[in-house]
Amino acid sequence: MSPRATSQQTSAKTRKPRAKKEDSQDVVSEPTLLVDKKKDSNFAAITKILIDEIIIPTTQPRRYFAAKAMQSLVESVRRDGILVPLLVRPVGDKYELVAGERRYKAAKEASFSEVPVTIQEMSDSQAIQYTLTENLQREDLNPVEETEGILDLLALRLDTDREGAISLLNKIAKVKRGLADNDVRPEDSLLVEEIFKTIGRITPEAFRTHRLPLLKLHIDILEALRSGQIEYTKAREIDKVSSDSERMELLEAAIEHSLSLSQIREQVKALQPPSESGDLQKLLDKTYKKVKKSKVWSNPDKQEKLKSLLAELQGLLSTED
């Protein structure tokens, strides 16, 4: 049996002052990647329920909230109340939060006993999709949460897991570069394009090459990035330091002294052990110049051998994807 909800009382005569920008109560436009519209028409009227009747789903993508912005929201809620109702769905004898976690947390901090909500029947997958899409349309989502959110949305829409979504993105990239046969299902390729077009901030290839590597960062760097202590370009640079103690020391210095990216690069370079990478690059450049000047182009046997070597080199490079 669903918990009893009481109708929200509103007054047309009393208009509350508009919230300041820093006090914004998550006024986000409705996500475009929503649940099936045929099943999405029966929203309940705005009602009030006890805040203790609301539970947070374990799949909630947002984990960190900036302390200053959160405190500003708490003050706004305490002063003006909840301006935008939370979206919840019935789960057993409770209501599961679908959208509005910041407002929910602010209401709890402000010691509210009940909050305005809109109740909608949703399946598990519909609720997850709505939550992911709503969060991805926010401007203050940090790069790690955004990356994880996009990956989870891809996995959900493609009916796979994170690894399956990553594998598909890599396969699509190889097909476009002519490095693999096109065995990608057209509907999967179109769905990927649709999702990234709706998100609007990043292309599938940019996501694959620049964002996915964030999830492979060392845990100390990942947590600092997730909590908004450092920018992701700086995080990726610091992560190049192999020594745990030196990496942690540089991370703390970068946060404490607001080191620039160029300053971090200088320190990372100084901490790197000597390598032969520079010599290999010089050898590759020298070999390329010799090949251009050689008579290999007029010798069919040598051309076949060169084709074989180039194919092997391309295969080596493709393993980095």
Side-chain angles (χ1 to χ4, degrees):
M1 176 178 260
S2 297
R4 186 165 54 93
T6 60
S7 297
Q8 181 184 18
Q9 302 298 317
T10 58
S11 171
K13 296 180 180 178
T14 358
R15 297 185 63 183
K16 295 185 182 297
R18 181 174 296 185
K20 297 179 182 177
K21 185 176 180 180
E22 64 270 23
D23 297 339
S24 172
Q25 293 192 24
D26 299 343
V27 183
V28 179
S29 59
E30 181 177 301
T32 50
L33 287 178
L34 292 179
V35 295
D36 188 342
K37 293 292 184 183
K38 294 178 182 178
K39 301 177 182 178
D40 195 33
S41 57
N42 295 321
F43 276 91
I46 296 174
T47 60
K48 277 190 176 180
I49 63 173
L50 297 175
I51 199 166
D52 290 339
E53 293 177 332
I54 299 175
I55 56 176
I56 303 294
T58 56
T59 53
Q60 188 69 16
R62 301 201 72 190
R63 302 178 192 175
Y64 291 91
F65 299 92
K68 186 176 180 181
M70 196 66 214
Q71 185 55 42
S72 177
L73 180 59
V74 171
E75 292 170 4
S76 169
V77 167
R78 189 175 282 129
R79 180 183 65 246
D80 302 325
I82 300 288
L83 303 180
V84 182
L86 314 180
L87 177 61
V88 298
R89 66 173 185 138
V91 176
D93 61 350
K94 296 285 186 180
Y95 289 108
E96 184 180 84
L97 185 67
V98 177
E101 186 177 7
R102 290 178 75 247
R103 280 164 280 153
Y104 165 79
K105 288 182 177 293
K108 292 205 76 168
E109 181 69 22
S111 301
F112 279 28
S113 61
E114 56 182 17
V115 289
V117 300
T118 299
I119 303 169
Q120 184 186 5
E121 294 283 349
M122 288 185 181
S123 67
D124 290 347
S125 62
Q126 287 173 336
I128 293 170
Q129 183 177 332
Y130 192 106
T131 302
L132 287 170
T133 308
E134 191 259 355
N135 274 299
L136 287 173
Q137 291 185 345
R138 297 192 55 81
E139 294 297 328
D140 60 347
L141 205 61
N142 73 55
V144 177
E145 290 177 332
E146 183 179 56
T147 300
E148 291 175 329
I150 292 173
L151 195 54
D152 287 339
L153 185 58
L154 283 167
L156 180 67
R157 296 291 302 278
L158 292 164
D159 193 23
T160 184
D161 54 17
R162 284 187 177 185
E163 290 304 315
I166 293 172
S167 176
L168 178 62
L169 290 175
N170 287 334
K171 189 178 292 185
I172 290 173
K174 288 181 180 179
V175 168
K176 287 184 176 180
R177 288 154 57 191
L179 299 176
D181 294 332
N182 190 0
D183 59 350
V184 178
R185 295 191 307 171
E187 58 267 33
D188 287 345
S189 185
L190 287 172
L191 185 54
V192 168
E193 291 296 333
E194 176 197 333
I195 291 170
F196 280 96
K197 185 178 179 180
T198 302
I199 295 168
R201 291 198 291 271
I202 192 169
T203 65
E205 182 61 9
F207 176 75
R208 187 184 74 86
T209 56
H210 298 300
R211 288 304 183 87
L212 285 179
L214 295 180
L215 303 183
K216 296 181 179 180
L217 297 175
H218 288 94
I219 189 64
D220 48 356
I221 303 293
L222 190 63
E223 289 306 308
L225 181 59
R226 193 194 299 278
S227 58
Q229 295 178 283
I230 193 168
E231 296 91 340
Y232 83 97
T233 50
K234 296 179 181 180
R236 289 185 65 178
E237 194 65 29
I238 297 172
D239 195 68
K240 295 176 182 178
V241 179
S242 55
S243 166
D244 291 345
S245 58
E246 290 177 339
R247 186 176 62 253
M248 196 63 197
E249 186 176 343
L250 179 55
L251 175 63
E252 291 173 353
I255 295 172
E256 183 178 353
H257 303 294
S258 300
L259 298 181
S260 68
L261 182 58
S262 59
Q263 289 175 316
I264 291 172
R265 281 175 175 159
E266 289 177 6
Q267 295 204 32
V268 169
K269 186 176 180 180
L271 293 171
Q272 294 298 329
S275 69
E276 297 180 357
S277 60
D279 294 335
L280 284 173
Q281 187 171 354
K282 288 178 183 177
L283 179 60
L284 183 61
D285 291 340
K286 185 178 179 181
T287 304
Y288 172 67
K289 290 176 182 177
K290 285 185 69 175
V291 169
K292 285 181 69 177
K293 295 178 181 178
S294 75
K295 297 180 180 180
V296 67
W297 311 109
S298 59
N299 188 320
D301 293 335
K302 287 186 177 181
Q303 282 187 30
E304 287 302 316
K305 182 64 175 176
L306 184 59
K307 284 181 182 179
S308 175
L309 291 172
L310 286 173
E312 187 176 343
L313 180 59
Q314 283 184 321
L316 177 66
L317 295 174
S318 68
T319 60
E320 295 179 359
D321 293 334

